[in-house]
Amino acid sequence: MSRPIVATIHSAALRQNLTIVRRAAPNSRVWSVVKANGYGHGIDRILQHLSDTDGFALLNLEEAIQLRERGWKKPILLLEGFFHSDELELLDRYRLTTSVHSNWQIKALAQAQLSAPLDIYVKLNSGMNRLGFMPEQLHNVWQKLRALENVGEMTLMTHFAEAEKEDGIIEPMKQVERAAEGLNAPRSLANSAATLWHPEAHFDWVRPGIVLYGASPSGQWQDIAGTGLQPAMSLTSEVIAVQQLKPGAGVGYGYRYHAQTEQRIGIVACGYADGYPRHAPGGTPVVIDGVRTQTIGAVSMDMLVVDLTPCPQAGIGSKAELWGDRVKIDEVASSAGTVGYELMCAVAPRVPVEVI
Ligand SMILES: *Cc1c(COP(=O)(O)O)cnc(C)c1O
């Protein structure tokens, strides 16, 4: 590749993060969540490094089939279930576990011609109001599904809206208890935040996503600083030009930055067309040649600008870490008013990826 930008996937970090999840929830099995092409890391690139997991969870049928075609034999969970009843044939063929969240899916399951029963996750709406049955419907739904020949093992599942908060799962847990009373149902409730911070929600299967990739479910990297979780992706590039500014000189589109004094700046080959957030204001951290500095002015399509004042030794060819070990993806995300999840999913197809 001629342009120096690259996204590096760290296989050791993926393995380590899975180990940390297991330590956090030692009595639970683990669904490693790999939706959105493994949170942007690439399912094919991460599969073997997460292969110690008990199952993979995602929501795209094509990605599930891709996993089977790569030889994955353990469970696969479709987090949003099937979107149309004609997909049941493929769920059957590829032996996929499906979430069931709506009445039409129960009907479709009842009418399908399957070679063997499918395991299902019955989704409860515990307050988030996206997917799932209301707690007062659950008994009825459960009994209906239990009576179907096409249904194998059944697990109760819900998703938390704010498990990163200390009291964030109290109310949803009450709804789960209410709904599950007398059912003796295995449960899967915990996303990353609940896996780390709410052991009372662990039960039979946890469903971590973001922590496997080494970013914080709260958006604050300090919240995971002591855990040993490591960034699974770094985005790096190089300084491709240097400018010496005079006092008052403007920089970039809209001259959003003006130098106060004489100042050396570097132009880095990374822009919003690579997935770096255009909303990141000047002052967003970046590491140049191992030294922490910050961005200046507007992010453009293919370039961004950095202050070289703290690193006078840096010049053309100096390495730039946009995010990774030294600059956490959560820092860049919060500077840009978003979350690490979005940035890792948004790395553009034009960025070359290497796995080490
Ligand atoms: C995305 C998702 C998860 C994982 O969430 P993280 O916050 O990344 O851990 C778990 N369960 C469901 C249903 C999801 O959609």
Side-chain angles (χ1 to χ4, degrees):
M1 277 313 150
S2 48
R3 198 161 168 259
I5 191 166
V6 59
T8 306
I9 310 297
H10 304 274
S11 55
L14 289 164
R15 290 171 187 276
Q16 157 94 346
N17 296 344
L18 180 56
T19 303
I20 285 166
V21 162
R22 287 217 184 270
R23 263 187 233 141
N27 301 314
S28 308
R29 281 183 283 173
V30 178
W31 288 114
S32 290
V33 180
V34 294
K35 62 193 182 195
N37 200 22
Y39 286 45
H41 292 64
I43 286 186
D44 278 341
R45 296 185 195 106
I46 64 179
L47 171 60
Q48 70 175 118
H49 308 297
L50 293 177
S51 60
D52 270 350
T53 192
D54 299 299
F56 284 113
L58 40 65
L59 46 84
N60 190 310
L61 185 52
E62 290 71 26
E63 288 178 346
I65 292 171
Q66 184 188 345
L67 279 175
R68 286 283 183 249
E69 285 173 346
R70 301 294 184 271
W72 180 252
K73 299 222 161 46
K74 289 194 266 180
I76 298 176
L77 170 62
L78 296 172
L79 290 164
E80 296 179 5
F82 45 100
F83 298 92
H84 301 100
S85 49
D86 56 9
E87 291 157 33
L88 280 166
E89 193 192 324
L90 289 170
L91 268 60
D92 183 28
R93 183 176 331 153
Y94 291 98
R95 294 283 95 207
L96 306 176
T97 303
T98 180
S99 138
V100 175
H101 59 79
S102 289
N103 281 313
W104 73 265
Q105 293 175 318
I106 303 179
K107 274 199 209 117
L109 270 170
Q111 289 164 2
Q113 303 282 328
L114 303 181
S115 65
L118 287 176
D119 294 341
I120 65 168
Y121 270 50
V122 183
K123 187 137 189 194
L124 174 73
N125 178 0
S126 58
M128 193 178 193
N129 288 310
R130 277 194 329 193
L131 301 181
F133 299 100
M134 297 306 288
E136 57 273 18
Q137 298 175 297
L138 194 80
H139 261 254
N140 190 4
V141 163
W142 194 272
Q143 249 81 57
K144 262 199 230 166
L145 285 162
R146 189 60 290 166
L148 298 183
E149 274 182 12
N150 279 339
V151 170
E153 277 179 41
M154 290 172 57
T155 303
L156 177 62
M157 164 195 197
T158 199
H159 193 49
F160 298 127
E162 44 178 26
E164 69 283 1
K165 295 198 179 150
E166 202 172 327
D167 58 359
I169 70 163
I170 295 174
E171 201 40 51
M173 286 293 279
K174 279 188 197 152
Q175 301 302 322
V176 170
E177 290 311 326
R178 199 176 128 214
E181 210 183 324
L183 286 186
N184 194 23
R187 296 180 198 185
S188 175
L189 313 179
N191 56 4
S192 291
T195 301
L196 287 185
W197 299 317
H198 299 290
E200 71 276 22
H202 285 173
F203 292 98
D204 302 84
W205 285 82
V206 293
R207 302 190 312 271
I210 194 74
V211 289
L212 295 173
Y213 308 100
S216 174
S218 69
Q220 299 297 320
W221 73 268
Q222 292 92 337
D223 291 341
I224 60 164
T227 58
L229 292 167
Q230 294 169 7
M233 179 200 289
S234 49
L235 182 66
T236 56
S237 188
E238 286 177 11
V239 173
I240 58 167
V242 172
Q243 303 293 344
Q244 190 74 43
L245 303 181
K246 298 243 172 349
V251 176
Y253 286 116
Y255 298 128
R256 278 212 230 158
Y257 178 84
H258 286 91
Q260 304 291 308
T261 56
E262 290 226 350
Q263 185 179 4
R264 231 174 130 247
I265 61 170
I267 314 304
V268 174
C270 174
Y272 60 79
D274 299 301
Y276 193 91
R278 187 178 168 280
H279 288 297
T284 301
V286 51
V287 163
I288 303 292
D289 244 4
V291 179
R292 214 174 147 94
T293 178
Q294 53 184 24
T295 63
I296 277 174
V299 173
S300 41
M301 188 183 286
D302 313 302
M303 289 177 268
L304 55 78
V305 184
V306 297
D307 181 17
L308 294 182
T309 312
C311 34
Q313 82 294 345
I316 290 175
S318 286
K319 182 142 177 171
E321 179 185 289
L322 288 318
W323 61 68
D325 242 4
R326 302 281 311 274
V327 178
K328 306 299 183 203
I329 197 169
D330 294 314
E331 295 181 84
V332 180
S334 64
S335 177
T338 182
V339 287
Y341 296 78
E342 188 182 13
L343 297 191
M344 52 181 75
C345 290
V347 173
R350 80 174 189 184
V351 175
V353 183
E354 61 172 27
V355 183
I356 60 172

